[in-house]
Amino acid sequence: MKKTLKKKLSGKKKSPVRKVAVKAAPRKRQISDSARDLALFCADLIEAKRGFDVTILNVSKDLQITDYFVICSGRNKKQNQAIAYTFLDNYSKLAKYGCSKPSYNSMQGFEEGQWIVVDLGAVVVHIFSEQLRQYYDLEFLWSSAPKVKRK
């Protein structure tokens, strides 16, 4: 009986060797220079449309979803919408920095025009009216985030 059992067992195919995946230690999230360059380029686009009081905050240490906030003010609803539309209009230039394609779906608050948020992936642009910017005061809320100096 033992001999027949050995023959049956030896006739079976051997199962393939399983490879065990070794998990590496978590890496520190590194910010690419292209994200910083994208934030600086967004600030230039804003100033080209006469947006003012432009501030760039590096929030990469505090947030996992984005690296930079670009915060600016506009004088009225139409100017805020024009600033936001600039990001749609200049997609070919923004694509060089590796940002996701902006669309009306990636903009929140476009119709109201008081606080427009444009999500470009590594950079989130906040376009405020003067009154709402003072009220919400994002710079104070993210005061632990370092400001990026522009030349």
Side-chain angles (χ1 to χ4, degrees):
M1 189 106 174
K2 289 182 180 178
K3 291 180 182 178
T4 58
L5 185 59
K6 284 184 180 178
K7 286 182 182 178
K8 286 182 183 179
L9 290 175
S10 64
K12 288 186 177 181
K13 294 182 180 178
K14 293 182 179 180
S15 62
V17 177
R18 292 184 183 172
K19 294 182 179 178
V20 178
V22 178
K23 292 185 178 180
R27 295 182 187 177
K28 288 186 176 180
R29 190 166 156 245
Q30 303 229 345
I31 310 166
S32 63
D33 286 336
S34 64
R36 185 182 195 300
D37 293 340
L38 176 62
L40 293 171
F41 181 69
C42 289
D44 292 339
L45 286 177
I46 290 167
E47 288 184 345
K49 287 292 182 178
R50 306 268 175 128
F52 61 94
D53 200 14
V54 180
T55 304
I56 302 173
L57 300 176
N58 182 347
V59 293
S60 61
K61 293 180 182 174
D62 300 326
L63 291 176
Q64 292 292 320
I65 58 173
T66 191
D67 293 332
Y68 291 94
F69 279 168
V70 178
I71 304 168
C72 72
S73 297
R75 302 214 185 278
N76 54 42
K77 173 183 173 178
K78 291 294 183 186
Q79 184 183 15
N80 290 346
Q81 289 173 339
I83 292 169
Y85 188 76
T86 302
F87 296 104
L88 295 176
D89 205 27
N90 290 307
Y91 171 66
S92 59
K93 295 177 183 176
L94 293 170
K96 294 176 185 176
Y97 297 102
C99 79
S100 56
K101 184 175 182 178
S103 66
Y104 285 109
N105 295 335
S106 63
M107 287 187 200
Q108 299 299 318
F110 186 81
E111 291 298 320
E112 295 82 19
Q114 298 298 313
W115 180 4
I116 303 173
V117 179
V118 183
D119 184 6
L120 299 174
V123 175
V124 175
V125 180
H126 297 270
I127 307 164
F128 281 101
S129 65
E130 293 178 82
Q131 297 82 16
L132 280 183
R133 184 165 181 182
Q134 290 175 355
Y135 180 76
Y136 287 107
D137 200 11
L138 288 185
E139 289 91 344
F140 177 74
L141 183 66
W142 293 100
S143 60
S144 63
K147 291 184 179 181
V148 175
K149 293 182 182 177
R150 297 175 57 206
K151 293 179 182 178

